[in-house]
């Protein structure tokens, strides 16, 4: 089931899961690379109904029952995916990490988008680029635009941008205070 969700709803497949036990006021605090955000978020409730008629169950194979279960998971997953994308859009808009791009989505749009977000680097100094997501048509345009980043003049612009982001990241890391 988890693999089904990851394949059908890619955003949910990327999210780290956190077990949250029931209570009178369930909430969670977002964490990014060991640093918690300032706000606490209320949990949202999602549900989807699965109905089986008694007579229908007699004639169903285990495979049929499981498929009905996956259909129900799909309905709920769709609700979660839509809400997640909306929450992500709201959060990024609030933080000012959005960029208006052209309808054709060009390499310049990728560079513009990357310039608006913080980029981290791994221990080897390799940029940890954000994930670009879009619908079926948009994803094709994004993939084509990324391919063109390997060509001039975009390659030089991309390298310059990554160097700039590395300097910004180094400055952020160097300004952090370590606590004993």
């Amino acid at each position: 089931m988890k693999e089904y969700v990851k394949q059908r709803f890619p955003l949910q497949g990327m999210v780290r899961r956190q077990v949250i036990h029931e209570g009178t006021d369930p909430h969670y605090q977002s964490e990014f690379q060991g640093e918690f955000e300032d706000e606490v978020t209320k949990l949202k409730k999602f549900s989807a109904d699965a109905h089986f008629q008694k007579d229908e169950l007699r004639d169903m194979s285990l495979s049929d029952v499981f498929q009905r279960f996956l259909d129900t998971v799909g309905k709920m997953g769709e609700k979660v995916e839509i809400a997640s994308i909306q929450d992500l859009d709201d959060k990024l808009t609030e933080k000012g990490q959005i960029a208006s791009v052209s309808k054709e989505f060009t390499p310049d749009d990728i560079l513009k988008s990357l310039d608006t977000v913080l980029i981290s680097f791994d221990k080897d100094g390799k940029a940890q680029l954000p994930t670009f997501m879009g619908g079926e048509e948009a994803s094709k345009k994004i993939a084509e635009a990324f391919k063109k980043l390997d060509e001039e003049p975009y390659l030089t612009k991309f390298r310059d941008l990554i160097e700039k982001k590395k300097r910004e990241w180094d400055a952020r890391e160097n300004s952090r205070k370590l606590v004993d």
Side-chain angles (χ1 to χ4, degrees), residues 18 27-31 36-41:
Q18 180 178 354
H27 62 276
Y28 67 97
Q29 192 172 21
S30 298
E31 178 185 5
F36 287 96
E37 288 194 355
D38 295 335
E39 62 202 56
V40 173
T41 306

Side-chain angles (χ1 to χ4, degrees), residues 28-171:
Y28 67 97
Q29 192 172 21
S30 298
E31 178 185 5
F32 177 71
Q33 295 184 345
E35 295 182 25
F36 287 96
E37 288 194 355
D38 295 335
E39 62 202 56
V40 173
T41 306
K42 291 279 199 182
L43 295 177
K44 294 180 180 163
K45 182 178 179 180
F46 296 96
S47 65
D49 294 331
H51 298 282
F52 294 91
Q53 300 296 325
K54 191 171 21 174
D55 295 338
E56 176 184 36
L57 278 172
R58 289 187 187 111
D59 297 330
M60 291 179 85
S61 68
L62 183 58
S63 177
D64 293 337
V65 172
F66 190 67
Q67 185 58 51
R68 179 81 58 89
F69 177 70
L70 286 181
D71 292 344
T72 304
V73 167
K75 290 175 192 173
M76 189 164 64
E78 189 173 320
K79 292 177 184 180
V80 172
E81 190 86 349
I82 290 168
S84 298
I85 290 170
Q86 184 61 53
D87 286 348
L88 185 59
D89 183 60
D90 293 345
K91 183 69 77 176
L92 292 173
T93 300
E94 175 187 317
K95 302 281 184 183
Q97 293 190 314
I98 57 168
S100 296
V101 297
S102 68
K103 192 171 187 166
E104 293 307 310
F105 204 86
T106 66
D108 284 322
D109 291 328
I110 291 175
L111 296 171
K112 182 179 176 182
S113 298
L114 290 174
D115 199 28
T116 65
V117 298
L118 296 176
I119 295 178
S120 296
F121 292 79
D122 66 15
K123 63 181 178 174
D124 298 323
K126 184 176 177 186
Q128 302 299 299
L129 298 178
T131 300
F132 283 71
M133 294 184 69
E136 193 173 325
E137 290 299 315
S139 293
K140 289 176 186 174
K141 291 177 183 179
I142 292 168
E144 286 300 315
F146 263 99
K147 287 178 188 174
K148 290 180 182 176
L149 285 180
D150 287 333
E151 303 168 6
E152 291 298 343
Y154 304 113
L155 182 59
T156 300
K157 290 178 182 180
F158 179 72
R159 287 181 177 154
D160 291 345
L161 177 66
I162 295 302
E163 286 177 20
K164 172 186 159 194
K165 292 295 184 175
K166 177 73 166 102
R167 287 190 303 273
E168 291 172 359
W169 184 79
D170 286 338

